[in-house]
Amino acid sequence: DVKVTQSSRYLVKRTGEKVFLECVQDMDHENMFWYRQDPGLGLRLIYFSYDVKMKEKGDIPEGYSVSREKKERFSLILESASTNQTSMYLCASSPAADPHGPQHFGDGTRLSIL
Amino acid sequence: SQQGEEDPQALSIQEGENATMNCSYKTSINNLQWYRQNSGRGLVHLILIRSNEREKHSGRLRVTLDTSKKSSSLLITASRAADTASYFCATAPISGGYNKLIFGAGTRLAVHP
């Protein structure tokens, strides 16, 4: 089974802090994604990566950056956390061989910015 | 954003009843997928239906797709308490970049014993 692991289930940070959310997948998938999930809004794509060191902006990239130095790891960075970034963050991966296929999700990180 | 929309937003039924959720979308698609999310967990892929398919079954799940109406439905038959979760449709649009999915806001299903 594909396993996507997010480093923290719950995280509490303060306004202005630099925050790192880590995601690791064990299936050698080329594609990795970061979403945020808010009530009534569904999942919104922040960034995705289709290869090591490659990244593309999603629908809501403002205030975020990403890093993909190794194929299995995709990090989301909040450069200066703000209260409106309090949300559930979900990481997902998928293989390049199936570009329109299912994505495999981690269990999410519930981030609170105080 | 080319977001799909699920209907209803919330659904409450008794065990053994059928649950039907609907999804509408706006653009031409390669496929449409349904996911389940248990409370506080990530999304789990349930079923994928391609744009040239009209109906697909998987166990107690039945999905239909009407591309002329840009809509899909998910039917869960003989529901169980364990089916309690949020259900999301996601579309793979033909344009807008490959391997991107557009998710709806979800339907919260509660199945009561």
Side-chain angles (χ1 to χ4, degrees):
Chain A
D1 266 358
V2 175
K3 191 158 180 66
V4 179
T5 304
Q6 294 185 230
S7 54
S8 304
R9 292 293 304 277
Y10 302 93
L11 207 53
V12 180
K13 296 292 183 180
R14 297 213 172 270
T15 303
E17 280 192 65
K18 190 169 186 176
V19 181
F20 293 85
L21 302 183
E22 306 287 346
C23 175
V24 177
Q25 51 95 3
D26 67 358
M27 281 302 292
D28 204 35
H29 285 171
E30 290 79 10
N31 304 321
M32 296 188 75
F33 308 83
W34 274 108
Y35 296 90
R36 64 176 283 175
Q37 181 180 23
D38 300 289
L41 296 178
L43 276 70
R44 293 180 291 167
L45 182 64
I46 305 172
Y47 267 97
F48 70 99
S49 169
Y50 52 89
D51 202 352
V52 175
K53 296 194 187 295
M54 305 303 290
K55 61 185 179 184
E56 286 206 21
K57 294 180 180 178
D59 299 318
I60 51 164
E62 296 78 19
Y64 303 94
S65 63
V66 290
S67 172
R68 188 141 181 227
E69 296 296 319
K70 293 185 177 181
K71 190 175 185 180
E72 66 271 19
R73 185 180 297 270
F74 192 33
S75 303
L76 179 69
I77 304 157
L78 285 65
E79 297 290 344
S80 177
S82 64
T83 54
N84 62 13
Q85 292 178 310
T86 290
S87 187
M88 172 74 129
Y89 290 87
L90 292 164
C91 175
S93 73
S94 70
D98 191 9
H100 300 289
Q103 295 180 7
H104 304 267
F105 283 83
D107 275 340
T109 295
R110 190 166 292 281
L111 175 64
S112 296
I113 307 296
L114 305 179
Chain B
S1 173
Q2 305 158 352
Q3 201 170 36
E5 295 181 2
E6 284 94 340
D7 165 52
Q9 290 185 332
L11 184 59
S12 182
I13 60 174
Q14 297 295 127
E15 259 189 334
E17 293 180 342
N18 295 342
T20 300
M21 289 159 266
N22 303 297
C23 170
S24 61
Y25 57 92
K26 298 177 183 176
T27 63
S28 297
I29 60 172
N30 279 288
N31 65 62
L32 185 144
Q33 302 172 32
W34 285 92
Y35 289 78
R36 183 186 73 221
Q37 184 181 35
N38 291 336
S39 179
R41 305 300 294 271
L43 277 69
V44 175
H45 179 259
L46 294 175
I47 194 166
L48 180 153
I49 185 165
R50 302 190 189 285
S51 60
N52 60 354
E53 297 175 312
R54 292 297 165 257
E55 188 170 313
K56 201 161 184 180
H57 297 256
S58 177
R60 293 184 297 112
L61 305 181
R62 172 179 167 252
V63 170
T64 61
L65 178 65
D66 186 335
T67 52
S68 66
K69 295 181 179 177
K70 291 187 168 57
S71 68
S72 173
S73 67
L74 171 67
L75 168 67
I76 304 174
T77 60
S79 63
R80 306 166 182 168
D83 294 327
T84 294
S86 292
Y87 292 82
F88 295 86
C89 70
T91 53
I94 288 176
S95 62
Y98 82 98
N99 72 34
K100 287 177 66 174
L101 295 178
I102 309 297
F103 286 84
T107 293
R108 291 190 314 279
L109 173 65
V111 181
H112 302 284

